[in-house]
Amino acid sequence: MHLIVAEKNISAQRIAGILAGKEKVRVARDGGISSYHFDEKAVVGLRGHVVEVDFVKGYSNWRSEERPPRSLIDADMVKIPTERKIVNLIQKLAKKSDRVTIATDFDAEGELIAKEAYELIHAVNRKVNIDRARFSAITPEEITNAFARPTGIDFDLAAAGETRQVIDLMWGASLTRFISLAARRGGGNILSVGRVQSPTLAMIVDREKDIEAFVPEKYWQLSLETEKDTEIIEARHTTSRFTSQKEALTARDNTKEPLVVTEVKEGSKVDRAPTPFDTTAFIVAVARLGFPAARAMRLAEDLYMNGYISYPRTDNTVYPPSLNLSGLLQSLKKSEFREDVEWVMANRRKVPTRGKKSSTDHPPIHPASAASRQELGEERWKIYELVVRRFLATLSPDARWLTMKVNFDAGGEPYTATGGRLTEPGWRRVYPYSKVTEYMLPGMKAGERLPLNDVTLEEKETQPPPRYSQSKLIQKMEELGLGTKSTRHEVIQKLISRKYVEGTPLRPTLVGRSVIDSLENHADTITRPIMTQTLESHMQQIREKERGSDDVVTESREMLHTIFDQLEQHEQEIGAEIMEQTAEELTLGPCPVCGHDLRIRHMRGQTQFIGCTSYPDCGFNISLPMTAWGFAVRVGNVCEIHNLHHVRLVKKGARPWDLGCPLCHHIASNRETLKLIPSLSEAMMSRLIERHIYTVYELAHTPTEEISSVLGITPESARKLVDEAEDVLDLLRRRSDCRKFVRKYLPPRRGRSPASVIRKMHEVGINDVTDLSHTDEKILKTMGVGEKEASILLSEARKLSAERELREIGIPAVSLKKYQKAGIIGPSDFLDNPYVYISAISGVSPDTVYRHVEMVAKALNRPAGPKYSRTRVEKGKAGLLAIRGVGEAIVVRLSQAGIIEPSQLAESDPEKIARLSGIPAEKVREYQRTYRENENSTR
Ligand SMILES: [Zn+2]
Ligand SMILES: [Zn+2]
C-alpha cells in the first residue's frame, strides 16, 4: 500500500480527490479520524504538529525547592503525542505500507512536521520507503507534478525548526516561571516571557514612551488662494514650515498683489505597478481592508487548503520561471474577473514586476484557481479578490501621470502649486485599492497676473510618532529579524491574549509595560532583538550544515544561564517593581468608609476579596467568590453611585461573570440576609447602609451605642437588634454548613438543582444538618429528591449530626471513628447496648467505653448501666470460653444480651438471651446445661 500523509485533513481530502482522478475515493473512519482510499493508496491528514516537545516528568511544580525556574534550562525534553488518535492511525497504516509519501506544507514548519511524521512511521516500520512531495498550491497541476517527482525530506531544514522549538520552550518556560514567581503571580495570571515575544513587546512599550516623552512644537504654514477662469487654485509658500511665528507673520504681511506666475513646468511621472505579494506585503494590504493579521492569515490558509490561492507563507517576491502565468490568466477568465483578465491579457507587460527578495522555496502569493463570490462567502472573497487583483496588477503596465507645477511671486514671497492627472491608468485599472487623487490646474503662462483672493496662516503642532498598527509592527519585526513569516502574526496575537497590549493601533497595558521595564532594568538582553537575530543566523547555519543543533542549543543554554545570574541577583527588586507598577490594574476606587483605595486581593489558594489599602486602620472589605468561579479583574466601567470600577470574574473556557459595581453587588446580595433580622425595618436598613454597615456580621459586631445613635433608637432596642443579628449569623452559619452537606450528597440533575432543594428546605424550616436528620423521606420527596437520594441524604445527615453531638459531649475523634465503624452511631446507641459489647465490637477497651457511656448518660440524663471491674470482665470471658461450644463470636453475641460471665448465663431466661443476642434459644439451653454439668462435676 502507498500511504500519503498530508498536513491537515482538508488537504488530505483534496489531494486524494486530485490523485484519484476519475476513480471513486472511499472514506474510512477510525477512532474519529478520516482516511481516504483509492487504488491501493491511503491519504491521511495530520493536524499540523501531532507531537510536541515538553520537559520530562518532574518539572511541573512551579514552587519546587529542588527544581527552581533555572533548572528548566538544562532539563531533558521529550516528544509527546498531542493527537494520539491520528498517531495511532498513521502507525497502523504505516505497518501495512511499502511506500510512504509525506505531503506536508512546503516550508520550514512543514518540513519539521514531515520529520515528525517520518519518525512516527519509522518507529513501526523500518523498511518502508519514505519520500516527500513538495507543492505550492493544492491544484491538480501542482499536485500531479509533485507526486510525479518526489524528493526526500530536508532533515537539516527540519533540524533548524526543531532546534527553534527546543530553545523557545527552554527560554519561555524558565523565564516565564521566574518572572511570575518573582511578582507572585500564578494561575491564569502568569507573566509570560518569550524569545520573540518580549523584544516585540519592548518595541510597543518603547514607542509608547516616545509618545509620552514627545514635546509638540508649534509651526506655521502659509498659503494663498487665487483663481483662473473661475477655477480656484491653492498655492503654498515654498517655506513649507515656518518655525518662527515672527517670520511667518512677516511673510504673510509681505504677500501682496500683484500675484505673478513666474514659471510653469509640465512633465510626466511613471507610477510603477506593485510587486508580487510576500506574506508581509499581503498582511499590510489586507490590513487596509480591516482584517487583523492573525485573522487574515487564517483565512488565507483556508483559501490555500481549498486550492484557491498558493501557499500564503512566503518571503519570495519574484515569480519563478516555472510558474505558468498565462495558464493562470486563462483559468481566471472563468470568474467574475473576466473583463479585467482580458484587459490584462491584451495589455500585459513584457516582464512581470519583481520585488527585492527571491527565494527558491515558494512563489509569491498568487491565485491558484478561479472561484466565485458565492462559494467563498463575503470575508474569504475579499481576501481572494485582493490576491487575484494583486496578481493582475503585477502583469499590468505601469500607470502614467501628467504633472504640472506652477510657481508664483506675490510681493516678493515665493509660492507654488502642483497638479496631476492620470493619463494612463495601467495597473490601477485592475487594482483599485490605493486611492488616486487627481488635482488639475487650469492652463497658465509665465508672466500672467492673477487675483489674490485670500492669504491664510495656519498654526500647527508637530505630532508624536504613531502607535504601531499590527501590519506596521509585522513589517518592523521583519526588518529586525524577529520571528518568521509564519509566526509574526501569532506572536502579536499572543501579546493581545496575554493582555500585554490592547487596542488598534496597539498600546501596552500596565502589565505589559511593567514586565518590559523590569526586564530592561535587570536583563535587557531578553528585550533586545539582537539575541533573536543571532539565533536566526544560527538556524541558517544549521540549515546549511555549518553547525549542529546540539552546538546551538548549548550556546543558547549558556546565554540563558548568564541571564539567570543577573535575574536571580535581583529577584526581589524585579518582583517589587512589577507588583508596584501593576497595582493600578487591581485598584477599584475609593473605600466607602475611609476614602483610601479599594483593591482586589488574590491570596494563595483560591481566596480573593476586595480590601482597603489602609488596612489595618480600615478593615472594610468585600468578599468575592473563590477563584474557581473566575479570577477577579477590574473592567473599564465605573459605578456612578460609588465611583468604583466594575469587577468581572474570568475563567478560561467559560463566559465571564460580571459582578458590576462590587459595592452595589455587595449591598444587593446582603439585603436578603439583613431581612432575616425580625426587628430591622427597611428604613433602618437604608440608614445602616448609608453608614457603611452592609452585612449582618458588621451589624452584630458594631457597638450598641453606635447603633442606637445611627438609627435613633433606644440602647435596649439596639441591644435586641444586635442579639437578633447574632442569631441570624448563627442561622447563616448553620445554613451554609447544611448547604455544603447537601451539595456533597446531591449531584446536580436536570430539573432539580441543589440550590432549589436548599431554598425549599429553608421554606419548611430545615436550616441545618440536625434539622435534616429529623426530616422524613416524604418531605424530601416533595422537594424533588428521589427515593434513593433521600435515603442516602438522611442516613448521612443522621450520621453527621450524631457525630457532632458526640463530639460535643466530648468523645474523642479517634474513638468515634472506631465506634462508627462498629455501627455505634448515635448517643442512644451507647446506652441501648451493654458497654462490654460495644468494647468487643469496636476494639476500644472496656474501661474507656464505660467512661464514654457515662459521659453520654450524663448528657442525656439517663442511667449508665452496671459497671464491672476489668478483672471480672476478663475472668468472665475466660469462664464463658471454657464452656464447650462457646467461642469468641458467641462471647461477643452473649455480651450484646448483657451476659459477661457464666453465672449470668446460667441464671438468665434463655428466651430473652436468644432475643437479644440472636443465638437460638436451643443453643443457649445447651450452654446452660453444659455449664451446670461442669459445675456439678467439679464440686
Ligand atoms: Zn477604608
Ligand atoms: Zn455601586
Side-chain angles (χ1 to χ4, degrees):
M1 188 178 68
H2 180 192
L3 172 63
I4 296 164
V5 180
E7 178 129 348
K8 301 225 165 104
N9 177 49
I10 169 104
S11 43
Q13 196 181 356
R14 279 190 55 85
I15 289 169
I18 291 168
L19 292 179
K22 289 199 179 86
E23 214 176 312
K24 196 170 159 19
V25 176
R26 190 171 56 79
V27 185
R29 301 270 295 171
D30 189 328
I33 308 301
S34 304
S35 52
Y36 306 90
H37 302 257
F38 58 95
D39 183 27
E40 285 299 294
K41 287 184 170 65
V43 192
V44 187
L46 300 168
R47 203 164 283 165
H49 294 283
V50 292
V51 293
E52 69 176 10
V53 276
D54 198 356
F55 297 108
V56 292
K57 279 210 175 83
Y59 287 90
S60 56
N61 179 9
W62 282 45
R63 295 189 160 83
S64 160
E65 298 268 331
E66 305 86 67
R67 294 184 166 166
R70 192 197 270 254
S71 69
L72 290 174
I73 303 175
D74 299 300
D76 286 332
M77 294 184 195
V78 282
K79 276 191 187 176
I80 44 175
T82 48
E83 300 287 350
R84 190 80 255 177
K85 284 175 180 164
I86 297 179
V87 171
N88 287 346
L89 177 59
I90 285 178
Q91 292 189 324
K92 190 169 139 190
L93 294 172
K95 283 183 200 155
K96 293 186 264 179
S97 302
D98 43 28
R99 182 182 166 199
V100 176
T101 301
I102 299 178
T104 51
D105 289 347
F106 177 20
D107 66 358
E109 201 70 21
E111 213 58 33
L112 178 53
I113 294 170
K115 187 191 169 211
E116 288 163 1
Y118 174 92
E119 283 167 354
L120 292 171
I121 290 160
H122 220 227
V124 294
N125 187 347
R126 293 217 147 256
K127 276 181 271 170
V128 68
N129 215 336
I130 304 177
D131 54 30
R132 171 92 165 96
R134 291 191 168 82
F135 45 85
S136 291
I138 307 180
T139 55
E141 197 187 353
E142 286 257 353
I143 295 294
T144 15
N145 280 340
F147 278 83
R149 281 182 287 277
T151 54
I153 291 172
D154 183 343
F155 286 97
D156 296 313
L157 182 58
E162 211 165 12
T163 310
R164 189 198 305 276
Q165 274 188 343
V166 166
I167 290 176
D168 281 350
L169 177 62
M170 173 173 104
W171 281 74
S174 63
L175 290 170
T176 296
R177 217 174 259 201
F178 177 87
I179 297 290
S180 300
L181 287 176
R184 307 224 184 103
R185 285 187 175 229
N189 207 19
I190 56 162
L191 298 175
S192 90
V193 179
R195 196 179 55 76
V196 179
Q197 180 198 320
S198 296
T200 307
L201 177 57
M203 287 198 311
I204 301 170
V205 171
D206 290 347
R207 175 55 60 92
E208 200 67 18
K209 288 181 183 164
D210 288 346
I211 294 171
E212 283 164 12
F214 183 81
V215 184
E217 277 169 16
K218 283 194 175 138
Y219 66 89
W220 291 266
Q221 284 186 320
L222 195 54
S223 60
L224 63 75
E225 190 193 295
T226 177
E227 62 177 285
K228 167 91 190 273
D229 305 334
T230 73
E231 271 191 72
I232 301 291
I233 301 163
E234 197 193 294
R236 291 189 317 275
H237 198 280
T238 53
T239 304
S240 59
R241 287 179 177 197
F242 289 93
T243 48
S244 144
Q245 189 180 19
K246 209 177 130 203
E247 282 169 23
L249 286 169
T250 313
R252 184 193 64 186
D253 296 343
N254 289 345
T255 304
K256 286 192 192 100
E257 288 193 336
L259 178 65
V260 184
V261 174
T262 54
E263 194 184 17
V264 178
K265 277 194 277 189
E266 280 193 359
S268 72
K269 197 182 78 186
V270 175
D271 185 2
R272 303 247 329 145
T275 54
F277 267 153
D278 63 355
T279 304
T280 306
F282 166 72
I283 286 176
V284 171
V286 87
R288 294 207 188 101
L289 303 181
F291 290 93
R295 170 125 198 90
M297 282 310 284
R298 249 197 325 278
L299 290 166
E301 268 155 35
D302 185 57
L303 289 171
Y304 158 72
M305 286 292 179
N306 287 288
Y308 295 118
I309 66 170
S310 67
Y311 195 58
R313 298 175 178 193
T314 175
D315 282 331
N316 197 351
T317 52
V318 179
Y319 294 128
S322 58
L323 190 64
N324 184 353
L325 300 170
S326 306
L328 273 176
L329 283 174
Q330 273 305 340
S331 71
L332 290 173
K333 260 168 77 174
K334 287 176 235 116
S335 69
E336 73 174 64
F337 302 108
R338 200 179 61 111
E339 249 175 67
D340 286 329
V341 173
E342 279 169 353
W343 183 84
V344 171
M345 288 170 105
N347 296 279
R348 189 166 157 186
R349 63 191 297 141
K350 280 202 192 79
V351 186
T353 61
R354 50 188 291 144
K356 288 185 190 124
K357 285 172 298 172
S358 167
S359 62
T360 48
D361 53 359
H362 279 289
I365 305 171
H366 62 80
S369 64
S372 75
R373 199 182 281 265
Q374 217 174 5
E375 61 190 289
L376 295 190
E378 209 42 52
E379 269 198 317
R380 295 197 301 166
W381 174 261
K382 273 189 188 160
I383 300 218
Y384 174 75
E385 181 178 13
L386 175 70
V387 171
V388 171
R389 292 196 173 280
R390 180 67 161 224
F391 173 71
L392 294 178
T394 61
L395 301 178
S396 301
D398 292 337
R400 280 178 193 279
W401 291 76
L402 180 69
T403 59
M404 188 172 172
K405 187 174 179 193
V406 182
N407 292 331
F408 301 91
D409 178 277
E413 295 293 331
Y415 283 80
T416 184
T418 53
R421 185 160 57 90
L422 196 56
T423 47
E424 286 171 41
W427 61 276
R428 288 188 175 274
R429 220 187 119 105
V430 296
Y431 195 76
Y433 298 100
S434 55
K435 228 176 150 196
V436 193
T437 35
E438 286 183 293
Y439 178 56
M440 283 312 299
L441 292 175
M444 284 174 268
K445 285 199 299 284
E448 196 174 342
R449 287 189 175 203
L450 294 174
L452 178 59
N453 290 356
D454 197 11
V455 182
T456 316
L457 181 65
E458 274 182 293
E459 185 182 281
K460 290 188 173 167
E461 273 189 347
T462 54
Q463 296 296 311
R467 292 192 173 110
Y468 288 112
S469 64
Q470 290 199 23
S471 58
K472 193 78 203 159
L473 190 62
I474 286 173
Q475 278 177 299
K476 189 81 188 162
M477 287 170 80
E478 187 180 355
E479 264 170 47
L480 295 173
L482 284 174
T484 68
K485 58 187 186 259
S486 324
T487 58
R488 285 179 197 120
H489 59 278
E490 287 167 7
V491 169
I492 297 176
Q493 205 48 47
K494 267 183 202 157
L495 290 177
I496 295 170
S497 68
R498 283 166 188 168
K499 302 212 163 54
Y500 280 163
V501 300
E502 59 190 11
T504 347
L506 301 162
R507 57 175 186 274
T509 61
L510 273 169
V511 192
R513 196 168 169 151
S514 64
V515 169
I516 291 303
D517 280 353
S518 199
L519 290 177
E520 279 178 350
N521 284 345
H522 302 284
D524 68 343
T525 331
I526 306 169
T527 64
R528 281 187 313 196
I530 181 76
M531 172 206 52
T532 196
Q533 286 164 1
T534 311
L535 185 82
E536 288 309 324
S537 69
H538 292 166
M539 295 294 117
Q540 193 56 37
Q541 289 169 334
I542 294 175
R543 269 176 232 139
E544 285 159 9
K545 283 192 200 297
E546 284 168 21
R547 272 186 90 170
S549 166
D550 290 347
D551 185 33
V552 168
V553 172
T554 307
E555 188 179 326
S556 195
R557 283 206 167 104
E558 282 162 11
M559 201 159 152
L560 196 48
H561 271 298
T562 318
I563 289 172
F564 263 82
D565 289 342
Q566 297 171 46
L567 287 177
E568 282 174 355
Q569 257 178 38
H570 301 283
E571 183 170 359
Q572 298 275 322
E573 289 156 74
I574 293 171
E577 282 168 13
I578 295 175
M579 283 190 280
E580 182 63 28
Q581 277 203 56
T582 52
E584 198 181 312
E585 62 167 348
L586 297 172
T587 301
L588 300 177
C591 169
V593 179
C594 73
H596 285 90
D597 280 335
L598 283 188
R599 196 169 284 170
I600 300 173
R601 306 268 184 195
H602 298 107
M603 311 305 282
R604 279 228 171 163
Q606 290 246 316
T607 317
Q608 53 186 350
F609 65 95
I610 293 166
C612 180
T613 45
S614 71
Y615 179 84
D617 291 337
C618 171
F620 179 76
N621 67 80
I622 297 173
S623 58
L624 289 171
M626 303 287 265
T627 50
W629 292 93
F631 193 83
V633 296
R634 179 179 95 166
V635 288
N637 314 19
V638 174
C639 173
E640 283 181 13
I641 310 165
H642 302 110
N643 210 10
L644 291 171
H645 277 274
H646 288 192
V647 171
R648 174 179 291 169
L649 301 181
V650 288
K651 192 178 162 188
K652 220 175 168 182
R655 214 175 331 137
W657 176 9
D658 279 307
L659 293 185
C661 164
L663 190 50
C664 287
H665 183 262
H666 187 53
I667 292 168
S669 59
N670 278 289
R671 196 170 276 277
E672 288 308 305
T673 51
L674 280 169
K675 277 187 187 161
L676 293 171
I677 301 173
S679 50
L680 187 73
S681 67
E682 275 287 334
M684 284 156 99
M685 204 192 296
S686 304
R687 285 209 49 95
L688 286 178
I689 289 169
E690 272 167 37
R691 301 299 287 262
H692 311 306
I693 297 168
Y694 302 101
T695 65
V696 179
Y697 179 88
E698 283 159 350
L699 179 59
H701 291 79
T702 309
T704 41
E705 312 84 71
E706 197 181 322
I707 291 171
S708 81
S709 90
V710 166
L711 296 179
I713 55 176
T714 62
E716 291 73 44
S717 308
R719 178 77 255 160
K720 189 174 167 225
L721 212 52
V722 170
D723 286 345
E724 285 176 4
E726 274 167 6
D727 288 346
V728 170
L729 268 190
D730 179 58
L731 175 73
L732 293 178
R733 265 193 293 267
R734 288 187 287 124
R735 278 186 174 180
S736 134
D737 172 68
C738 186
R739 186 180 313 124
K740 273 184 216 150
F741 177 84
V742 172
R743 283 186 185 281
K744 185 171 164 191
Y745 292 103
L746 216 55
R749 182 153 62 71
R750 257 176 71 123
R752 189 270 286 132
S753 70
S756 77
V757 172
I758 291 160
R759 216 173 19 250
K760 286 175 187 152
M761 284 182 175
H762 294 169
E763 281 167 18
V764 300
I766 301 173
N767 288 314
D768 56 27
V769 178
T770 312
D771 292 345
L772 184 60
S773 74
H774 295 137
T775 312
D776 69 77
E777 290 181 17
K778 274 187 226 126
I779 293 179
L780 290 179
K781 220 169 164 186
T782 64
M783 300 172 183
V785 181
E787 208 166 299
K788 208 170 151 202
E789 287 174 335
S791 97
I792 293 171
L793 201 59
L794 287 181
S795 79
E796 289 297 333
R798 280 170 196 152
K799 218 153 107 188
L800 182 61
S801 86
E803 178 183 327
R804 286 179 176 169
E805 211 174 324
L806 289 168
R807 292 279 291 137
E808 196 129 303
I809 289 169
I811 315 289
V814 191
S815 313
L816 209 49
K817 260 205 200 105
K818 291 183 184 164
Y819 292 139
Q820 279 175 345
K821 232 178 173 173
I824 303 299
I825 307 291
S828 55
D829 293 339
F830 281 79
L831 302 178
D832 296 344
N833 289 290
Y835 83 94
V836 179
Y837 168 70
I838 298 177
S839 163
I841 57 173
S842 66
V844 181
S845 83
D847 288 356
T848 309
V849 174
Y850 194 77
R851 214 174 54 245
H852 294 158
V853 168
E854 276 183 315
M855 287 156 75
V856 174
K858 203 172 152 214
L860 268 58
N861 203 14
R862 278 174 56 181
K867 167 152 197 299
Y868 311 103
S869 73
R870 206 161 119 199
T871 32
R872 190 170 160 194
V873 173
E874 277 163 16
K875 246 174 112 181
K877 184 177 173 185
L880 288 171
L881 284 172
I883 301 168
R884 184 158 35 84
V886 176
E888 292 274 354
I890 296 293
V891 171
V892 173
R893 288 170 92 170
L894 285 172
S895 75
Q896 194 174 6
I899 308 295
I900 68 146
E901 53 196 9
S903 58
Q904 289 174 336
L905 174 64
E907 285 151 22
S908 302
D909 170 15
E911 297 297 332
K912 189 180 166 202
I913 295 177
R915 205 170 57 246
L916 292 171
S917 69
I919 306 170
E922 205 37 56
K923 277 263 176 213
V924 177
R925 282 193 201 96
E926 197 184 313
Y927 299 147
Q928 287 177 332
R929 260 199 314 278
T930 320
Y931 170 68
R932 278 191 216 105
E933 278 163 17
N934 270 1
E935 278 299 276
N936 292 340
S937 66
T938 47
R939 207 165 274 164

